[in-house]
Amino acid sequence: MKLISIDERRRCFLLHTADSSYAFQVNAAGYLTHLHWGGRIDRMEDLPETREVLCHRHCPPLRGELTRQEYPGWGGEFYGEPALKADFPGGVRCSLLKYKDHSVRIAGTAEELVVTLEDAGYPLLVKLHYRVYTDAEIIERWSEISNHGDTTVILRSALSASFNLPTIDRDYRLSHLAGRWGKEHTIERQSINQSKIVLESRTGLSGPFAAPFFALDNGDASEHTGRVWFGSLQWSGNWKITVERNGYEQVNACGGINDFDFSCPLKSGEIFTTPPFCAGVSEEGFGGASRMLHAYQRQHLLPAEITGKPMPLIFNSWSSMGTGVSEEKIMQVAGMAATAGAELFVIDDGWQAALGDWWADQKKFPHGLKPVIERVKTLGMDFGLWVEVESLELNSRLYREHPDWVMTFPGRDTYCNIRDEKRTPMLLNFARQDVAEHIYLALRGLISETGIKYLKLDMNCYFTNPGWDAVPPEERQTIWVKYVHNLHSVFGRLNQEFPDVLMENCASGAGRSDLAMNRYFGRMNRSDNQDTLDILRMHEGFTWLHLSRMAGGGCHISDAVYHINLRKIPMKFQAYTGIMGSLSIGKNLPSCTAEELAEIRSYAELYKKLRHIPQFGELYRLASHYEHPYAAFEFVSEDKKEALLFVLGHSIQFAGKVPAFRLHGLDPDAVYGIEYFGNNPRLEGYTASITEYQPISGRGLMEIGIRVELLGDFDARILHFKARQASGF
Ligand code: DGJ
């Protein structure tokens, strides 16, 4: 498949994925002008001329504001959101970025077009990268800004990309992921009139108030139908995505590192590289957009060794023990966790000598971690540990030795998120090279000495005092960016050295819900909120961006579900919902009855039997808890021979029956046998109830659908469809 076509004479560029195209051209004034982003265009001749995409008759055709630039500098008659704003020597504050040259390179299954722009008055070059793949419906964009002059240029804003949307006959609708701690990935929607909407993070992390993602449609797209333009920025710190409709009905979405409190001196010869912004167009609604992002991540983003393996069943100490872990308690519970079916045993917060001192607390673990690790391994489980390496506390050796490593403004309070009197956390200035190196060595040592197979990275503070007075004043605001680069570099190196260690991106539960983290972390804490009813909504938003298999956390099956809403939820509902992701047990096992332990074990067995389908298959969200008192998620294996339907109901009323679910993505000609989990014995007495299924074809399942009975509150079913062999199911 041809990925990049170039008309050298017209200086016109056409990029392709299998189902979409993206085009731009150099206009008469030398600006790179957007022509098309949407369905597939095969002929260069079909593209409009640059003047034809202008929306207003009464303006000079080259007026900056109307020229839909691919990467506008702030300057001239451009009044929209600039991709670049810089201060040049002599007090010049505008940038006019004009086409200089281009090149194409091939990188594996991808091709990359690099178009170089140059400022009209100063040797500042901007290389625009466009990467397209043969095996992904995604275009990746980023930029490299380099100073070829003798004098320092100050970058005030340097975005990754600017996307121009086609003009349509009605208002666009913006969908995005918002929230806060305990309510992450909430889907929000609004229509775009003449205005500017800013989605952003200023916490120093990429969340938790928004995730770096946007989706735009004409207001009619549904989960399964309609065209959706979408994009996600791969950045784990402050970011900004601006969606703007200007006075000429032109809609633009641009984004990158947040320009808030940002300034970066670019000395002679230096290069500033912006993070990738990946984007695509789905013709199959929001579900199609998610599947495109999922496939792209599987093939090109996630840590390969981890993604190829099933997610283990995890026992995590947090919800049952809090920070009160000890050798004695772990020894007591490890055997029970193994009997319950756990494959990985994780000691959460509390094992460490102090935040910053990443060795075992001597009082709690008088013999170090060795005996507990041996016990866990003898029981046939892998072992994992929690860390929060960006924090340190007053009462740590690290602080005594390096008080200057703390992130602070002179004379201001250094503490953040004080959780109890015993702990006074502060943030390390990870932007410092020596700090990052120290953490890298500490973690490398910890992983090699303990042989852990799992590392949970927590982060419970937002930046409160992002000061850095050890560097010259003009470099201090680079702290936001250098911090993130170092964070990625530390975990990128660890991932390379220990590719079989599964790392969890926890960050207090989705505090860093961005695709950049997914390059190194195979699991994510979707939320600290384990109330399974809330999860039905959060999981929908979570899977807009992330693979369902990444949905972790410490305690899907646990009593921790109560702590947010004080709602009691049956264990079956917790477990069935958890099986869609990376299931974990957080129950206080010693206090469970024999029946409860047996019940947990049955869910462990079910998880192991079924997990290959949600973890390696395609996701179709069939019913949303935003619209119904139930949610339904379907997963189909790659070869279409197996599928799972999860139906999770809450508060069914008036003896109502849930409508049939029409499945998606099956082989129409295959006949599927159905195994059924989660029968509700109270349904047995009703003649109209359906608790048994006959084999049915893929076509039947997709056209007619399948009915699933739900009763009352918190009722859940899993249906397992398996294409029949000659010998039957
Ligand atoms: C917040 C995390 O989200 C929890 O899972 C747990 O690890 C605590 N921090 C520990 O402090």
Side-chain angles (χ1 to χ4, degrees):
M1 182 176 77
K2 199 165 171 51
L3 297 179
I4 300 175
S5 311
I6 301 173
D7 180 334
E8 300 282 351
R9 192 188 54 80
R10 276 175 73 192
R11 291 196 297 192
C12 187
F13 305 86
L14 179 57
L15 312 178
H16 305 285
T17 65
D19 296 326
S20 74
S21 294
Y22 187 102
F24 47 88
Q25 181 179 12
V26 182
N27 74 4
Y31 291 105
L32 204 57
T33 309
H34 182 78
L35 298 180
H36 171 74
W37 185 26
R40 175 118 187 163
I41 295 287
D42 289 318
R43 295 173 71 243
M44 201 70 125
E45 298 75 16
D46 292 349
L47 292 168
E49 293 289 332
T50 51
R51 62 183 171 75
E52 291 174 58
V53 293
L54 299 175
C55 302
H56 201 251
R57 207 176 301 125
H58 293 280
C59 288
L62 297 178
R63 184 167 157 180
E65 193 184 0
L66 291 172
T67 307
R68 312 202 74 193
Q69 289 185 62
E70 279 291 297
Y71 196 84
W74 178 73
E77 285 179 297
F78 178 78
Y79 305 110
E81 194 68 18
L84 183 80
K85 186 167 187 314
D87 295 353
F88 294 96
V92 175
R93 301 198 310 280
C94 70
S95 337
L96 299 170
L97 300 175
K98 298 200 178 185
Y99 170 84
K100 183 170 187 293
D101 57 34
H102 68 267
S103 61
V104 173
R105 67 180 201 101
I106 303 201
T109 58
E111 275 181 38
E112 207 174 291
L113 169 67
V114 184
V115 182
T116 308
L117 311 179
E118 186 172 24
D119 180 65
Y122 185 86
L124 184 90
L125 299 189
V126 178
K127 284 187 187 299
L128 301 184
H129 292 254
Y130 297 83
R131 185 182 285 174
V132 264
Y133 296 91
T134 46
D135 52 0
E137 278 296 323
I138 292 290
I139 297 180
E140 266 174 27
R141 288 190 57 184
W142 72 96
S143 61
E144 266 176 6
I145 301 147
S146 52
N147 182 356
H148 296 258
D150 298 330
T151 326
T152 299
V153 171
I154 313 281
L155 299 180
R156 302 285 179 193
S157 176
L159 300 186
S160 295
S162 179
F163 295 99
N164 293 292
L165 279 294
T167 36
I168 53 174
D169 58 357
R170 59 175 104 168
D171 293 349
Y172 271 98
R173 173 178 63 169
L174 169 68
S175 305
H176 57 106
L177 298 170
R180 55 172 153 78
W181 177 85
K183 192 181 177 232
E184 298 82 2
H185 307 111
T186 307
I187 297 169
E188 298 281 1
R189 292 192 148 116
Q190 57 190 297
S191 155
I192 314 279
N193 48 29
Q194 188 179 335
S195 61
K196 183 182 281 192
I197 297 167
V198 176
L199 312 173
E200 67 170 0
S201 172
R202 297 183 178 198
T203 58
L205 285 66
S206 53
F209 303 112
F213 170 86
F214 74 87
L216 289 160
D217 75 300
N218 71 0
D220 277 350
S222 72
E223 181 62 25
H224 305 296
T225 59
R227 183 174 283 185
V228 176
W229 292 260
F230 61 92
S232 185
L233 181 75
Q234 298 176 20
W235 187 243
S236 311
N238 286 0
W239 58 271
K240 175 172 149 185
I241 295 176
T242 306
V243 180
E244 180 173 8
R245 186 174 120 188
N246 66 15
Y248 305 97
E249 286 80 45
Q250 294 174 328
V251 174
N252 171 279
C254 60
I257 292 171
N258 204 332
D259 56 356
F260 164 75
D261 197 39
F262 167 85
S263 116
C264 176
L266 199 63
K267 297 191 191 118
S268 170
E270 283 186 344
I271 302 176
F272 184 86
T273 305
T274 66
F277 203 141
C278 55
V281 188
S282 156
E283 301 292 344
E284 290 180 10
F286 294 91
S290 308
R291 285 186 292 281
M292 287 175 174
L293 279 169
H294 294 170
Y296 157 72
Q297 290 180 69
R298 270 205 179 101
Q299 275 140 15
H300 301 290
L301 205 85
L302 292 159
E305 191 151 333
I306 297 300
T307 317
K309 288 186 196 155
M311 299 299 256
L313 176 58
I314 297 177
F315 174 87
N316 179 293
S317 63
W318 178 246
S319 68
S320 58
M321 300 180 206
T323 52
V325 290
S326 66
E327 179 181 315
E328 197 190 341
K329 284 193 196 162
I330 300 298
M331 289 300 195
Q332 183 198 11
V333 93
M336 303 184 79
T339 312
E343 298 162 304
L344 172 70
F345 189 97
V346 180
I347 306 189
D348 210 282
D349 192 356
W351 68 272
Q352 70 283 3
L355 292 178
D357 297 347
W358 299 107
W359 52 87
D361 180 320
Q362 267 201 332
K363 281 197 204 105
K364 296 175 180 171
F365 295 90
H367 311 98
L369 289 175
K370 211 164 171 236
V372 292
I373 296 178
E374 272 167 17
R375 171 94 179 119
V376 165
K377 286 192 179 160
T378 313
L379 288 162
M381 296 180 288
D382 282 328
F383 183 68
L385 282 175
W386 169 98
V387 291
E388 187 181 338
V389 286
E390 295 152 83
S391 303
L392 81 171
E393 59 192 285
L394 201 54
N395 185 23
S396 64
R397 189 200 289 175
L398 186 64
Y399 181 67
R400 285 191 294 279
E401 288 177 0
H402 298 286
D404 54 322
W405 282 6
V406 170
M407 181 194 285
T408 188
F409 288 122
R412 297 293 165 121
D413 192 2
T414 50
Y415 305 126
C416 54
N417 190 11
I418 298 181
R419 278 170 284 171
D420 55 51
E421 284 158 11
K422 285 180 247 135
R423 235 189 229 188
T424 45
M426 297 166 273
L427 269 188
L428 279 171
N429 182 354
F430 227 81
R432 292 176 63 124
Q433 221 42 53
D434 48 4
V435 168
E437 194 59 21
H438 170 85
I439 296 300
Y440 162 70
L441 292 173
L443 288 178
R444 193 175 73 164
L446 185 70
I447 298 173
S448 17
E449 278 156 32
T450 53
I452 52 173
K453 288 280 174 265
Y454 184 87
L455 186 74
K456 171 173 173 177
L457 176 71
D458 208 345
M459 166 59 159
N460 291 299
C461 303
Y462 310 141
F463 292 17
T464 44
N465 290 291
W468 188 6
D469 60 358
V471 295
E474 65 277 12
E475 285 178 28
R476 290 181 186 160
Q477 285 169 306
T478 62
I479 188 169
W480 303 102
V481 176
K482 290 189 175 148
Y483 188 109
V484 179
H485 281 151
N486 280 343
L487 183 82
H488 289 164
S489 153
V490 165
F491 288 93
R493 284 163 82 188
L494 291 172
N495 186 229
Q496 282 206 326
E497 277 175 75
F498 306 100
D500 61 334
V501 172
L502 172 60
M503 298 201 282
E504 174 178 337
N505 164 20
C506 172
S508 211
R512 287 193 176 114
S513 174
D514 61 81
L515 299 193
M517 292 298 276
N518 291 3
R519 288 183 185 271
Y520 321 110
F521 294 80
R523 189 173 193 261
M524 197 175 137
N525 182 358
R526 175 185 45 208
S527 176
D528 263 0
N529 181 352
Q530 296 290 345
D531 179 323
T532 324
L533 188 61
D534 291 353
I535 285 176
L536 296 187
R537 285 193 189 193
M538 292 193 293
H539 195 64
E540 185 174 334
F542 179 88
T543 55
W544 270 29
L545 199 50
H546 306 284
L547 285 156
S548 192
R549 65 178 260 132
M550 292 190 68
C555 39
H556 299 136
I557 305 179
S558 75
D559 297 333
V561 295
Y562 310 143
H563 92 285
I564 292 227
N565 300 311
L566 306 180
R567 179 180 285 122
K568 284 232 167 206
I569 296 179
M571 229 202 291
K572 182 175 105 182
F573 199 80
Q574 300 175 9
Y576 280 19
T577 308
I579 290 173
M580 297 195 294
S582 162
L583 186 66
S584 62
I585 303 170
K587 272 272 194 202
N588 184 357
L589 296 178
S591 72
C592 288
T593 62
E595 290 74 37
E596 281 173 325
L597 290 173
E599 194 182 340
I600 297 173
R601 184 156 183 95
S602 74
Y603 300 135
E605 279 159 14
L606 190 61
Y607 175 63
K608 290 173 196 170
K609 177 181 157 99
L610 301 179
R611 66 182 157 192
H612 61 284
I613 308 173
Q615 295 190 9
F616 301 111
E618 290 243 63
L619 166 67
Y620 297 87
R621 292 174 295 248
L622 300 192
S624 167
H625 183 56
Y626 282 90
E627 293 162 15
H628 308 287
Y630 52 86
F633 296 83
E634 179 202 357
F635 298 87
V636 182
S637 67
E638 208 188 339
D639 61 6
K640 299 179 187 292
K641 291 207 164 112
E642 285 186 276
L644 283 182
L645 174 64
F646 292 80
V647 183
L648 304 149
H650 171 252
S651 59
I652 306 301
Q653 294 181 286
F654 306 113
K657 279 203 169 202
V658 173
F661 295 106
R662 282 197 197 87
L663 301 198
H664 285 252
L666 300 177
D667 175 355
D669 298 323
V671 173
Y672 293 85
I674 303 170
E675 197 178 0
Y676 172 72
F677 302 97
N679 188 21
N680 189 333
R682 284 154 60 214
L683 277 169
E684 303 291 354
Y686 292 90
T687 42
S689 64
I690 305 163
T691 52
E692 271 179 27
Y693 294 95
Q694 297 308 313
I696 174 166
S697 73
R699 198 178 303 278
L701 286 165
M702 293 192 286
E703 282 300 326
I704 298 165
I706 189 142
R707 298 203 71 132
V708 178
E709 294 280 348
L710 294 175
L711 198 65
D713 296 335
F714 296 116
D715 206 3
R717 300 281 181 281
I718 301 176
L719 270 60
H720 182 192
F721 304 86
K722 210 168 177 186
R724 294 193 108 187
Q725 312 289 318
S727 55
F729 184 53

